[in-house]
């Protein structure tokens, strides 16, 4: 799997949008971008995934650049419960299914 | 979304004993499950891929005789930590792939193992 680069930590005020960047410059054509998050002492939670088009669901939006070398996860109105470590992972779902976790971004949402 | 459970959620055992952790897919069948280990303030590290009806595939550096994996049914995989030592104390997490056609991987809530 291609590697990703994320900032170590970010802060966001409650109610504001949280924009979490991810670089994946070596992503290949068949690899999707996945985002998971892990709240302290819990298992990771799937958030969203995309290939090349922007995606939105009830949790977040995913913006992927045209060259697919980077993406941004957007939490439109962050709450305290969104405080977690966010992992950006690239993976080809058609081949090996294992996920390789990097260090992620620790998002702290504050009052 | 699909649900994956783990049991127990927390276990304390004495050094030298063995501990079994169960991972269940509650509302779907999973031919493949994964076991991860996570040390404090670190990321998840894949230990092994559990395949229903066949031997597990271990990642480099993971001792297969120490971490026994059994995937006897389409809804259950077990991880047994044999002859546990304090350095095996960690957060163990399993995950499972839903049936073909979906892309998400669903994770269990994790098991906190403390070896004294």
């Amino acid at each position: 799997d291609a590697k990703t680069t994320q900032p170590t930590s970010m802060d966001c005020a409650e109610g504001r949008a949280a924009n979490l960047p991810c670089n994946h410059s070596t992503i290949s054509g068949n690899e999707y971008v996945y985002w998971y998050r892990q709240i302290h002492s819990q298992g990771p939670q799937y958030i969203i995934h995309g290939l090349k088009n922007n995606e939105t669901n009830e949790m977040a939006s995913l913006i992927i650049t045209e060259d697919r070398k980077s993406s941004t996860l957007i939490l439109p109105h962050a709450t305290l419960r969104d405080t977690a470590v966010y992992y950006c992972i690239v993976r080809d779902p058609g081949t090996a299914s294992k996920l390789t976790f990097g260090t992620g971004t620790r998002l702290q949402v504050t009052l | 979304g699909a649900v994956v459970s783990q049991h127990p959620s927390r276990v304390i055992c004495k050094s030298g004993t063995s501990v079994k952790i169960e991972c269940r897919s509650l509302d779907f069948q999973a031919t493949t499950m994964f076991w991860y280990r996570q040390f404090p303030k670190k990321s998840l590290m894949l230990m092994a891929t559990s395949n229903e009806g066949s031997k597990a595939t271990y990642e480099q550096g993971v001792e297969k005789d120490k971490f026994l994996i059994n995937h006897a049914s389409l809804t259950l995989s077990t991880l047994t930590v044999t002859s546990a030592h304090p350095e095996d104390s960690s957060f163990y997490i399993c995950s499972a792939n839903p049936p073909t056609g979906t892309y998400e991987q669903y994770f269990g809530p994790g098991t906190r193992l403390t070896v004294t």
Side-chain angles (χ1 to χ4, degrees):
Chain A
D1 289 349
K3 292 185 177 179
T4 62
T5 304
Q6 298 177 252
T8 303
S9 63
M10 295 181 65
D11 291 333
C12 178
E14 190 177 34
R16 304 297 293 268
N19 298 293
L20 292 90
C22 179
N23 287 322
H24 31 79
S25 58
T26 60
I27 191 170
S28 65
N30 296 327
E31 289 180 320
Y32 284 65
V33 180
Y34 291 78
W35 283 84
Y36 285 79
R37 73 179 182 184
Q38 186 179 26
I39 295 170
H40 182 62
S41 294
Q42 297 182 24
Q45 177 189 21
Y46 164 82
I47 301 174
I48 199 168
H49 74 275
L51 180 61
K52 54 183 179 181
N53 296 324
N54 297 337
E55 301 288 344
T56 296
N57 62 20
E58 64 278 4
M59 289 185 67
S61 295
L62 174 60
I63 308 298
I64 302 174
T65 59
E66 192 169 343
D67 62 8
R68 303 210 320 126
K69 292 185 177 182
S70 65
S71 60
T72 301
L73 178 75
I74 301 172
L75 307 179
H77 305 286
T79 70
L80 297 177
R81 287 180 292 183
D82 292 322
T83 293
V85 178
Y86 287 76
Y87 295 98
C88 168
I89 302 168
V90 294
R91 165 177 168 253
D92 180 353
T95 59
S97 298
K98 61 184 181 182
L99 296 172
T100 302
F101 286 80
T103 54
T105 295
R106 184 172 299 275
L107 176 68
Q108 180 68 53
V109 181
T110 58
L111 290 172
Chain B
V3 179
V4 176
S5 70
Q6 282 184 240
H7 178 79
S9 59
R10 186 180 296 268
V11 58
I12 301 173
C13 72
K14 293 186 176 181
S15 190
T17 62
S18 296
V19 175
K20 179 184 287 187
I21 302 170
E22 294 184 348
C23 176
R24 294 182 185 273
S25 55
L26 297 185
D27 51 2
F28 65 97
Q29 294 183 330
T31 56
T32 304
M33 292 183 174
F34 303 88
W35 286 97
Y36 296 81
R37 179 169 54 181
Q38 185 176 33
F39 292 107
K41 299 188 184 300
K42 299 294 185 181
S43 188
L44 284 78
M45 295 296 295
L46 180 66
M47 299 175 66
T49 302
S50 171
N51 304 298
E52 188 269 334
S54 64
K55 291 182 178 180
T57 303
Y58 290 82
E59 295 298 302
Q60 190 173 10
V62 178
E63 301 174 58
K64 62 180 181 181
D65 294 330
K66 179 170 182 61
F67 299 99
L68 301 180
I69 292 173
N70 184 282
H71 192 157
S73 78
L74 288 171
T75 59
L76 173 64
S77 175
T78 60
L79 168 69
T80 301
V81 183
T82 62
S83 186
H85 291 283
E87 57 265 31
D88 298 323
S89 298
S90 188
F91 193 48
Y92 291 87
I93 307 169
C94 71
S95 69
N97 279 330
T100 304
T102 58
Y103 295 95
E104 307 96 275
Q105 196 172 109
Y106 293 95
F107 287 80
T111 296
R112 176 78 56 193
L113 170 64
T114 302
V115 184
T116 61

